[in-house]
Amino acid sequence: MSLKEVFESQPERRYVMFGGKGGLGKTTLSATCALWLASHGKRVLLFSVDPQASLSDIFERDIFGKGPVPIIENLWAQEVDADRRIREYQDEIRKKILDMYGFDRVPEEIDSYIAAASAEPAMEESAIFDAVVDIIVQGDYDYYIYDLVPLGHALYYLSMAKVYDEWINKITKLREEMRQYDEVAATLRGQEAAEEDRILEELLYIKRRINTSSEILTDKRRTAFFFVLVPEEIIIQDTLKAAELFSRFDVPISGYVVNRVLPDSLGQANIPAYLRNRHSMQQKHLQQIRSGFGKEILAYVPEMERDITGIPMIEKLAERLFT
Ligand SMILES: Nc1ncnc2c1ncn2[C@@H]1O[C@H](COP(=O)(O)OP(=O)(O)OP(=O)(O)O)[C@@H](O)[C@H]1O
Ligand SMILES: [Mg+2]
């Protein structure tokens, strides 16, 4: 199957991700697919949480932290400002604490606790996770293309849904048990049953959101998770290892895209020895890729004459990739 056939034959897979090691072409391919789908009349949101602002780079305009920005007809791109998101997250937690406990000011100990907790990488992840959940549960677009940050991170992100889920399950259960005692105590004291439990409600709300998003992102029927590699020894080895790791986390991989393939015609041309060497080395690695990944390879993407930036260049690549 080709990448084009995957999109055409499985229109219900509306969530698209490209994973892979750093710098192999995840952003390039995400943008290329987004542009191609949009030019075929699909409403597409291409988004990223990468502080590198690589979507701004590829579209050659500043879209960082500006919400969904229209790029061409049917295509919107969004770069989440993760730092701002974390600050908003802190404020939200403060506000919730005030509401829940009826304080008019967050006590100093709690405030410094929130500040310390937010410095944790986990807090950052959770703020980013929340931003992604917000984006994918809205359902206004035909396609959501998530331009992932490099490999390790993506794996962490995808597996985190599971960790979160377990954690929240535990707390919710505890909280439910506690509530029974609260109710008994209230009845014994002759009071009305305890007022609605806002903490439990909040937890259940978060749980529903996380469930929805992790279900979406790991559901092969709704999500296409492609892997990018290039014909180089170390990348091939790493990709084989990653594939194993992902399958252990139950993250289904929908196929592989081989990027930066030198044109075949180079082999026949009268070229300098240096280039000829590079070309025959690549041929060897391509052979290795074919035997390692076989039918799971969906596309070979040519090495272009320059970096892929700006709409005309992305269009040019889309033409090579989809026709
Ligand atoms: N087929 C190609 N031909 C020419 N240049 C390419 C090709 N694919 C990618 N590039 C260039 O390689 C660089 C890295 O690509 P890209 O930013 O898409 O990688 P990435 O996987 O998103 O990187 P990161 O892991 O940092 O997010 C960019 O400058 C891009 O223009
Ligand atoms: Mg990128």
Side-chain angles (χ1 to χ4, degrees), residues 42-61:
K42 307 291 184 199
R43 288 164 52 84
V44 183
L45 178 67
L46 169 62
F47 71 98
S48 133
V49 294
D50 188 354
Q52 302 289 336
S54 38
L55 296 180
S56 288
D57 290 342
I58 196 164
F59 292 121
E60 296 177 321
R61 42 190 291 203

Side-chain angles (χ1 to χ4, degrees), residues 26-288:
K26 296 179 295 296
T27 301
T28 305
L29 288 162
S30 300
T32 307
C33 281
L35 201 89
W36 182 76
L37 288 164
S39 69
H40 284 70
K42 307 291 184 199
R43 288 164 52 84
V44 183
L45 178 67
L46 169 62
F47 71 98
S48 133
V49 294
D50 188 354
Q52 302 289 336
S54 38
L55 296 180
S56 288
D57 290 342
I58 196 164
F59 292 121
E60 296 177 321
R61 42 190 291 203
D62 180 21
I63 59 167
F64 190 74
K66 293 187 161 62
V69 176
I71 303 291
I72 56 164
E73 200 185 348
N74 292 325
L75 174 61
W76 287 261
Q78 178 173 1
E79 274 178 331
V80 174
D81 179 346
D83 286 337
R84 193 174 73 205
R85 195 64 203 200
I86 291 161
R87 287 194 301 275
E88 286 169 2
Y89 209 64
Q90 291 177 330
D91 287 344
E92 215 176 290
I93 291 178
R94 281 199 193 90
K95 200 175 155 293
K96 276 185 183 142
I97 290 177
L98 291 182
D99 286 355
M100 250 181 242
Y101 297 101
F103 298 143
D104 42 336
R105 181 181 79 70
V106 176
E108 214 171 288
E109 311 88 277
I110 295 182
D111 207 45
S112 59
Y113 173 76
I114 294 173
S118 347
E120 297 275 321
M123 176 78 168
E124 201 174 309
E125 293 295 341
S126 127
I128 292 174
F129 189 92
D130 213 53
V132 173
V133 173
D134 264 350
I135 290 175
I136 65 172
V137 298
Q138 52 178 332
D140 304 338
Y141 297 89
D142 296 326
Y143 282 91
Y144 293 84
I145 302 188
Y146 181 8
D147 175 25
L148 292 171
V149 289
L151 191 63
H153 213 68
L155 182 64
Y156 177 56
Y157 167 78
L158 289 164
S159 61
M160 204 174 69
K162 283 194 170 175
V163 176
Y164 257 73
D165 198 43
E166 261 171 47
W167 180 74
I168 285 181
N169 268 336
K170 259 191 209 133
I171 299 186
T172 312
K173 202 161 153 271
L174 243 153
R175 195 70 205 167
E176 260 163 1
E177 283 167 12
M178 268 167 58
R179 189 157 69 157
Q180 289 173 1
Y181 293 122
D182 281 353
E183 273 167 13
V184 172
T187 319
L188 285 179
R189 284 198 301 268
Q191 293 168 345
E192 274 184 41
E195 59 168 309
E196 57 178 309
D197 190 333
R198 300 189 54 180
I199 297 176
L200 181 58
E201 243 174 55
E202 180 71 16
L203 284 170
L204 288 171
Y205 170 72
I206 298 174
K207 189 168 141 59
R208 271 195 304 274
R209 273 164 60 89
I210 288 177
N211 276 349
T212 313
S213 69
S214 69
E215 263 169 39
I216 291 175
L217 294 177
T218 56
D219 179 354
K220 203 172 172 163
R221 282 164 305 151
R222 285 188 286 176
T223 300
F225 180 47
F226 304 115
F227 229 83
V228 186
L229 72 158
V230 297
E232 280 171 30
E233 183 70 40
I234 291 172
I235 304 295
I236 297 171
Q237 298 312 325
D238 282 356
T239 306
L240 287 167
K241 271 186 228 147
E244 198 190 301
L245 212 64
F246 273 79
S247 77
R248 229 186 296 152
F249 276 98
D250 288 333
V251 179
I253 294 178
S254 319
Y256 296 84
V257 177
V258 185
N259 192 15
R260 309 204 82 138
V261 177
L262 295 171
D264 232 5
S265 56
L266 212 58
Q268 281 102 52
N270 192 9
I271 49 169
Y274 162 82
L275 251 185
R276 182 172 300 281
N277 239 342
R278 301 275 331 167
H279 182 260
S280 64
M281 214 167 80
Q282 223 190 44
Q283 291 301 315
K284 197 185 84 197
H285 291 138
L286 285 170
Q287 195 56 50
Q288 229 174 315

